[in-house]
């Protein structure tokens, strides 16, 4: 797809917003020694990008191939943008908020009119002068969660970067998540329907072990960090290779790079319970990966992973693999040729639409390392569900398959059936990341009222449609209990 970014563009960011929109952001030269942060919205119906919106511009910005600006869309449609300004001259660009010391600071701005106008820039946090590798994540309740690598401890005897977080525009101090993390690996966030969220990052532990950790944000507080997988990668320096997360309901997909035991590889794993545990990771690379991963989780449980392969026995470039709901790894697909140079940056992947009667589609954004650099965008269309299932083309079958994985899987016991009120009450077991164990009033198709009686154990799916929960795809588990 023709990219909206001009000559010299770099640092693409690609997000699927809480409102279903897809936005591309990037940095671009603007005149002499000025850098601009710009964005465009994808029009899926037309298959093209909207007119370009300029978010902000400045002369003293910190422009880096790895630490790139961030964009997020809150459920109400508010756009949020973050970029970086060098500490040495930030005051000259943003008024009287002078700060000193090495490193750089994150600034943010917001738009309530689809990116046409933006608020006066403000510091992401006023508690630290060294803020790097920011992630933004809208929460189900409407707030915007942000995490970052923080160098405030480097002004004391401590040597390690730390991981902090806060609710943007929220009250209260910054919250410490981890007091020893890798200095320059990007962070990643994903959110769950119950209002909680999960961060993944590269920690720094004794003996210079730099493996991937996660931490859950729940009810306004961060839980203790957990090791995602014991790679035991010992490296004296930062690999500049962070993890990526995506989630559907309480299911989480994770992808990351490691070179433990001097064997570079790209790994992918899945958590069925909002990050409480991850399954044994699978290797998806071709033998000579450079990392720089991204991942997308689809509603049917299949995962897509992209990474940069450095060549060797394969053509160098950005590759994609699909992992099926049964954890079967599909063949590698070369999406675009690229180099392993730093200027190639991090490719990004975002969902445009999930499967329904038609195939799922995604957008890819990446930087071409040339003079001047260029940001490219490509629309990826997956095979039909019939093709993936190995059957002849069948549109009704594809629609049925897509509907079968809508909403959230549940297990419970029917407590009341009230045909007059068109409600079925179900005592649900906990659905991790979605809701705690509770009794839920659900609407359903008329036939289900005749099928269910109090005390009946069931499996099924629930889905929020407007203001009501609906119960469907129900299977009976034995006879009703008294």
């Amino acid at each position: 797809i023709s990219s909206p970014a001009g000559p010299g563009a770099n640092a693409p960011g690609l997000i699927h917003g809480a409102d279903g929109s897809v936005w591309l952001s990037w940095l671009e030269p603007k005149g002499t020694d000025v850098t601009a942060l710009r964005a465009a919205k994808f029009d899926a119906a037309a298959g093209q990008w909207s007119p370009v919106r300029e978010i902000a511009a400045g002369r003293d910005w910190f422009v880096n191939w790895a630490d790139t600006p961030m964009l997020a869309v809150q459920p109400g449609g508010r756009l949020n943008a973050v970029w970086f300004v060098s500490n040495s001259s930030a005051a000259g660009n943003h008024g009287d908020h002078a700060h000193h010391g090495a490193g750089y600071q994150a600034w943010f701005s917001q738009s309530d009119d689809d990116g046409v106008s933006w608020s006066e820039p403000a510091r992401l946090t006023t508690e630290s002068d060294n803020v790097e590798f920011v992630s933004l994540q809208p929460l189900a309740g409407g707030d915007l969660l942000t995490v970052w690598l923080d160098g405030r401890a480097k002004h004391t005897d401590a040597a390690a970067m730390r991981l902090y977080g806060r609710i943007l525009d929220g009250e209260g101090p910054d919250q410490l998540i981890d007091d020893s993390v890798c200095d320059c690996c990007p962070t990643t966030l994903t959110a769950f329907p119950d209002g909680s969220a999960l961060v993944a990052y590269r920690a720094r532990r004794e003996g210079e072990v730099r493996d991937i950790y996660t931490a859950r944000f729940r009810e306004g507080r961060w839980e203790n960090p957990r090791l995602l997988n014991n790679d035991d990668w010992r490296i004296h320096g930062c690999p500049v290779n962070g993890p990526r997360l995506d989630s559907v309901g309480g299911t989480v997909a994770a992808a990351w790079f490691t070179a433990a035991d001097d064997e570079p590889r790209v790994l992918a794993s899945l958590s069925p319970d909002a990050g409480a545990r991850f399954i044994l990771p699978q290797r998806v690379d071709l033998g000579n990966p450079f990392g720089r991963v991204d991942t997308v989780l689809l509603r049917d449980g299949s995962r897509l992973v992209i990474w940069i392969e450095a060549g060797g026995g394969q053509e160098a470039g950005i590759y994609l693999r699909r992992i099926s709901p049964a954890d079967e790894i599909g063949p590698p697909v070369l999406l675009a040729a690229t180099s392993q140079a730093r200027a190639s940056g991090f490719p990004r992947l975002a969902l445009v639409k999930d499967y329904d009667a038609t195939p799922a589609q995604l957008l890819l954004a990446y930087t071409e390392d040339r003079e001047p650099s260029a940001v490219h965008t490509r629309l990826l269309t997956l095979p039909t569900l019939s093709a993936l299932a190995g059957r002849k083309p069948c549109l009704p079958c594809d629609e049925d398959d897509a509907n079968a994985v809508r909403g959230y899987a549940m297990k419970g016991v029917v407590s009341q059936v009230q045909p007059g009120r068109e409600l079925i009450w179900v005592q649900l077991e906990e659905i991790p990341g979605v809701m705690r164990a509770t009794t839920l009033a659900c609407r359903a198709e008329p036939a289900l009222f005749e099928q269910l009686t109090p005390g009946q154990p069931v499996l099924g799916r629930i889905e929020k449609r407007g203001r009501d929960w609906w119960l469907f795809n129900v299977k009976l588990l034995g006879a009703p209990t008294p």
Side-chain angles (χ1 to χ4, degrees):
I1 300 174
S2 180
S3 172
N10 61 82
L14 197 59
I15 60 159
H16 180 87
D19 60 353
S21 61
V22 179
W23 285 84
L24 173 72
S25 61
W26 67 94
L27 293 175
E28 188 174 313
K30 182 182 180 181
T32 305
D33 300 326
V34 175
T35 300
L37 175 58
R38 292 173 174 157
K41 186 177 181 180
F42 185 65
D43 184 338
Q48 63 186 21
W49 294 100
S50 70
V52 174
R53 309 295 198 197
E54 183 165 299
I55 300 169
R59 295 182 181 276
D60 52 359
W61 285 20
F62 179 81
V63 178
N64 181 265
W65 67 279
D67 198 357
T68 59
M70 290 290 130
L71 201 65
V73 188
Q74 292 174 261
R78 169 173 284 183
L79 280 166
N80 300 265
V82 169
W83 64 94
F84 301 99
V85 176
S86 299
N87 278 340
S88 59
S89 58
N93 192 53
H94 291 306
D96 298 327
H97 304 289
H99 52 286
H100 307 284
Y104 50 97
Q105 176 62 256
W107 292 75
F108 78 97
S109 182
Q110 299 172 317
S111 172
D112 290 315
D113 55 10
D114 219 31
V116 175
S117 60
W118 291 83
S119 64
E120 185 69 20
R123 287 175 58 172
L124 188 77
T125 173
T126 58
E127 297 182 23
S128 176
D129 292 333
N130 192 330
V131 176
E132 307 173 7
F133 293 96
V134 173
S135 286
L136 300 174
Q137 179 60 58
L139 301 179
D143 289 332
L144 183 68
L145 181 65
T146 179
V147 300
W148 65 89
L149 303 188
D150 194 294
R152 69 183 72 182
K154 288 182 173 289
H155 299 304
T156 66
D157 293 335
M161 292 288 282
R162 295 178 173 181
L163 184 69
Y164 277 85
R166 66 173 296 117
I167 297 293
L168 202 64
D169 289 340
E171 298 180 358
D174 300 343
Q175 295 185 26
L176 177 65
I177 305 168
D178 196 318
D179 64 2
S180 182
V181 299
C182 208
D183 295 59
C184 47
C185 282
T187 59
T188 181
L189 278 167
T190 193
F192 305 119
D194 66 357
S196 65
L198 189 73
V199 63
Y201 58 97
R202 192 176 297 281
R204 183 182 180 184
R205 297 296 185 252
E206 185 177 355
E208 296 296 352
V209 177
R210 303 188 187 230
D211 287 347
I212 305 302
Y213 276 68
T214 65
R216 183 89 175 268
F217 180 76
R218 183 156 37 184
E219 297 179 348
R221 300 185 65 84
W222 289 96
E223 299 177 353
N224 291 332
R226 297 178 179 220
L227 178 66
L228 194 156
N229 187 66
N230 186 22
D231 300 329
D232 197 32
W233 187 14
R234 300 172 183 267
I235 175 174
H236 292 273
C238 183
V240 198
N241 244 310
R244 295 289 286 177
L245 297 176
D246 193 26
S247 62
V248 174
T251 303
V252 186
W256 69 96
F257 173 83
T258 183
D261 302 318
D262 295 323
E263 185 181 2
R265 52 200 185 273
V266 172
L267 302 178
S269 183
L270 189 75
S271 170
D273 48 16
R277 56 195 169 95
F278 281 87
I279 64 173
L280 186 69
Q282 297 172 284
R283 183 172 179 174
V284 298
D285 64 85
L286 306 180
N288 196 17
F290 209 67
R292 305 185 195 175
V293 303
D294 204 356
T295 189
V296 168
L297 178 64
L298 299 183
R299 198 172 57 213
D300 68 349
S302 59
R303 293 169 277 157
L304 303 169
V305 181
I306 63 169
W307 74 96
I308 292 180
E309 191 78 17
Q314 303 286 337
E315 182 178 353
I318 302 167
Y319 281 82
L320 176 146
R321 261 187 158 150
R322 176 182 178 270
I323 304 175
S324 77
D327 293 330
E328 300 164 331
I329 301 177
V333 179
L334 177 63
L335 300 180
T338 190
S339 73
Q340 62 186 33
R342 288 185 171 187
S344 295
F346 288 73
R348 288 294 174 240
L349 196 64
L351 182 68
V352 175
K353 64 170 292 294
D354 212 322
Y355 280 104
D356 42 34
T358 58
Q361 289 188 319
L362 302 101
L363 277 164
L364 170 73
Y366 64 98
T367 303
E368 183 183 4
D369 177 21
R370 68 183 193 192
E371 189 56 47
S373 60
V375 168
H376 295 291
T377 55
R378 295 191 175 187
L379 182 65
L380 314 177
T381 302
L382 273 62
T384 65
L385 288 171
S386 288
L388 292 172
R391 64 187 178 225
K392 294 181 180 179
C394 175
L395 192 61
C397 303
D398 288 352
E399 189 168 9
D400 288 344
D401 286 352
N403 286 333
V405 293
R406 291 175 59 183
Y408 311 112
M410 54 71 65
K411 182 180 181 182
V413 177
V414 176
S415 59
Q416 296 182 56
V417 180
Q418 300 180 332
R421 297 178 62 190
E422 299 181 334
L423 290 176
I424 297 173
W425 295 77
V426 184
Q427 294 177 334
L428 298 177
E429 296 182 5
E430 180 185 9
I431 307 175
V434 178
M435 63 179 67
R436 297 183 177 183
T438 187
T439 299
L440 186 68
C442 301
R443 298 195 177 277
E445 296 298 328
L448 205 54
F449 287 87
E450 301 176 5
Q451 185 181 5
L452 297 180
T453 58
Q456 175 66 60
V458 293
L459 291 176
R461 301 190 75 85
I462 57 172
E463 180 183 45
K464 194 77 174 287
R465 302 175 188 173
R467 299 177 62 181
D468 298 323
W469 284 96
W470 283 73
L471 175 67
F472 58 101
N473 285 4
V474 172
K475 295 181 180 179
L476 306 185
L477 297 177
T481 57

